[in-house]
Amino acid sequence: MEEKYNSNYPDIDYLRAKAKKRIPRFAFEYLDGGCNAEVNLRRNTEEIREILLKPYYLRDYQGISLKTNLFGKEYAAPFGISPIGLQGMIWPKAPEILAKAAFEHNIPYILSTVSTADIETIGEISQGNAWFQLYHPKEADLRDKLIQRAADAEYPVLVILSDVPTFGYRSKEIINGLSIPPRMSLNNILQIMGRPRWAMETLMAGPPEFKTLKPYIPKGLNLKHLGMFMNQTFSGRLNEERIKPIRDKWKGKLVIKGVASEEDVQKAVDLGLDGVIVSNHGGRQLDHGESTIKPLQEIAPKFKDQITVMMDSGIRTGPDIASTLASGAEFAFLGRSFMYGVAALGKEGGTHTISILKRQFRQVMEQLCCETVADLPKHKI
Ligand SMILES: Cc1cc2nc3c(=O)[nH]c(=O)nc-3n(C[C@H](O)[C@H](O)[C@H](O)COP(=O)(O)O)c2cc1C
């Protein structure tokens, strides 16, 4: 895939700044914010950057490869796109834009249960390459329907989410009315009027909806009742009894996202799961928890022969990806970074963000004299 690259936005910080100017404040704060005092949001990125990498300058060098095998498939790079809810509110058609870019660049895109495109549409765009993230429904019947739809659309990987047993406490979302239940205040409407491009594109795309869940949502609910419906329908709290039937039903690879302790990873191994994404939801759930890079360094060496260990939360650059892999993750995922890209540049945003990260990551590999992604742990000081 040819890399389209916009030199006005050479890194994720530039995309973030542009996104802030281009979308309504409530949408930007939803994407950008963490929970409580946003301690863990900052800590995630800061502590990845404490990892030190060692270069070798006087070695023979045969060139590098970014190719990475994961669950029997060869991806073009060792990073993918984390699931984000309500993506189409941040930028219209964001899930479709990102799924297309991911497919064209041969990296994984994970669709959230509460995103704004449905399982089937994303399955088609990604030609059976997207992964599906399941929010845990209280009713087994709804759970089974969603799992069956993901299987019918040939998703190879199902991701179950463990780190939302309760909704995060996010002050900006409470003010903006984006807590559950959501609310459209006069203030939000004024913000929309200040972002005409976003408003026009949203008007053309139609209001964002929970498309995957639409068949199960009673018709004609106002926003308040929709919020109540979502609260009643989902319980994020997982336990072994809830995971076992999913393992029995899902024939593809099964991954749990949101674990951050050795005890939980051991349970995932015991339950026969194929992978874990060490994640703290990008600092949106528990403000005084560890950054993900910290437990990763204990979890990866202990469990790497038993389960595939991946990580997200706080990754913004190629060097961040390199430090994550050097710390033992086999694969890295990024959430906000890709959405900043789409919010800043629309259709071009997915491809451009992938190009930035690939360029930056390749440069680190060359600088270190590291020929394969699997060799990165040898460069951790
Ligand atoms: C606005 C927003 C919405 C999110 N929605 C979901 C979701 O629906 N499902 C999910 O598994 N994770 C969700 N996450 C967490 C991401 O998948 C991912 O773990 C996190 O963004 C990684 O951190 P980063 O943004 O620092 O890369 C969300 C994150 C953000 C920022």
Side-chain angles (χ1 to χ4, degrees):
M1 175 75 200
E2 193 205 335
E3 279 183 27
K4 284 197 196 119
Y5 187 80
N6 183 335
S7 52
N8 291 323
Y9 305 96
D11 65 37
I12 305 301
D13 285 345
Y14 283 93
L15 292 173
R16 178 179 176 275
K18 176 73 176 171
K20 193 173 183 181
K21 289 193 196 140
R22 207 164 176 242
I23 66 177
R25 200 182 72 217
F26 66 81
F28 183 77
E29 289 181 347
Y30 165 65
L31 171 63
D32 194 62
C35 63
N36 302 85
E38 303 188 335
V39 176
N40 208 4
L41 173 70
R42 290 186 290 275
R43 185 181 287 143
N44 277 333
T45 302
E46 281 165 13
E47 293 192 356
I48 291 175
R49 293 172 183 185
E50 287 170 11
I51 301 292
L52 300 178
L53 301 174
K54 187 178 194 176
Y56 296 99
Y57 294 124
L58 301 178
R59 276 190 180 173
D60 281 344
Y61 171 69
Q62 308 298 328
I64 60 146
S65 168
L66 304 192
K67 291 195 176 126
T68 307
N69 283 305
L70 186 64
F71 298 135
K73 183 176 158 63
E74 187 178 82
Y75 289 102
F79 62 85
I81 306 178
S82 294
I84 302 271
L86 268 175
Q87 284 174 304
M89 182 195 71
I90 299 164
W91 192 261
K93 301 268 177 208
E96 289 89 342
I97 292 170
L98 286 175
K100 184 164 181 284
F103 172 66
E104 288 173 353
H105 285 266
N106 187 23
I107 63 166
Y109 166 82
I110 312 180
L111 176 71
S112 163
T113 307
V114 292
S115 189
T116 48
D118 59 50
I119 294 177
E120 292 74 17
T121 304
I122 294 300
E124 232 167 80
I125 292 174
S126 63
Q127 300 188 23
N129 281 294
W131 303 8
F132 180 63
Q133 175 262 315
L134 181 74
Y135 258 105
H136 200 275
K138 281 184 187 152
E139 298 293 330
D141 182 47
L142 176 57
R143 177 198 69 202
D144 293 348
K145 281 182 180 147
L146 291 171
I147 292 177
Q148 192 55 48
R149 283 172 64 188
D152 290 346
E154 298 183 353
Y155 282 57
V157 183
L158 183 72
V159 179
I160 46 181
L161 181 69
S162 65
D163 62 7
V164 188
T166 174
F167 289 108
Y169 192 96
R170 305 179 201 128
S171 302
K172 289 174 199 153
E173 288 179 21
I174 294 170
I175 290 173
N176 293 332
L178 288 177
S179 59
I180 305 274
R183 164 171 65 87
M184 251 310 144
S185 64
L186 179 64
N187 190 3
N188 289 351
I189 293 167
L190 290 174
Q191 290 173 31
I192 292 173
M193 287 166 69
R195 296 289 184 269
R197 180 75 191 268
W198 180 94
M200 201 185 70
E201 298 249 358
T202 299
L203 200 68
M204 281 180 346
E209 294 178 300
F210 296 118
K211 287 256 172 68
T212 289
L213 298 174
K214 203 172 169 186
Y216 322 111
I217 299 177
K219 289 205 170 51
L221 289 190
N222 63 22
L223 284 178
K224 182 170 174 215
H225 290 114
L226 176 62
M228 283 160 65
F229 168 83
M230 297 296 277
N231 257 344
Q232 282 157 12
T233 307
F234 291 98
S235 159
R237 192 172 287 282
L238 283 181
N239 57 31
E240 290 172 60
E241 295 322 304
R242 287 179 152 197
I243 296 173
K244 274 184 198 150
I246 301 178
R247 177 67 291 183
D248 290 342
K249 277 179 205 326
W250 180 258
K251 303 299 171 220
K253 299 293 179 189
L254 187 60
V255 167
I256 189 160
K257 170 175 182 283
V259 288
S261 70
E262 290 177 45
E263 290 83 348
D264 281 347
V265 177
Q266 183 62 57
K267 281 208 174 133
V269 171
D270 296 343
L271 286 161
L273 269 59
D274 301 288
V276 290
I277 303 181
V278 178
S279 167
N280 58 32
H281 221 94
R284 288 168 65 80
Q285 292 296 119
L286 176 66
D287 210 20
H288 288 196
E290 281 185 300
S291 67
T292 48
I293 199 81
K294 279 274 156 71
L296 174 73
Q297 292 168 79
E298 308 296 324
I299 288 167
K302 186 163 174 193
F303 293 99
K304 71 176 167 34
D305 297 329
Q306 300 171 63
I307 198 161
T308 300
V309 178
M310 299 161 278
M311 192 197 100
D312 81 8
S313 299
I315 302 172
R316 302 282 181 273
T317 67
D320 293 344
I321 296 172
S323 290
T324 301
L325 302 181
S327 301
E330 285 184 48
F331 216 80
F333 283 91
L334 300 85
R336 293 182 183 84
S337 300
F338 285 104
M339 285 306 305
Y340 293 140
V342 175
L345 301 177
K347 276 196 189 121
E348 211 194 297
T351 291
H352 181 56
T353 309
I354 295 169
S355 299
I356 290 175
L357 295 170
K358 271 171 90 174
R359 282 186 181 204
Q360 292 182 338
F361 181 65
R362 190 180 294 123
Q363 188 275 335
V364 185
M365 296 276 288
E366 286 173 355
Q367 189 75 27
L368 294 175
C369 194
C370 180
E371 293 178 1
T372 69
V373 167
D375 282 338
L376 272 165
K378 295 181 193 156
H379 293 264
K380 182 166 173 265
I381 293 175

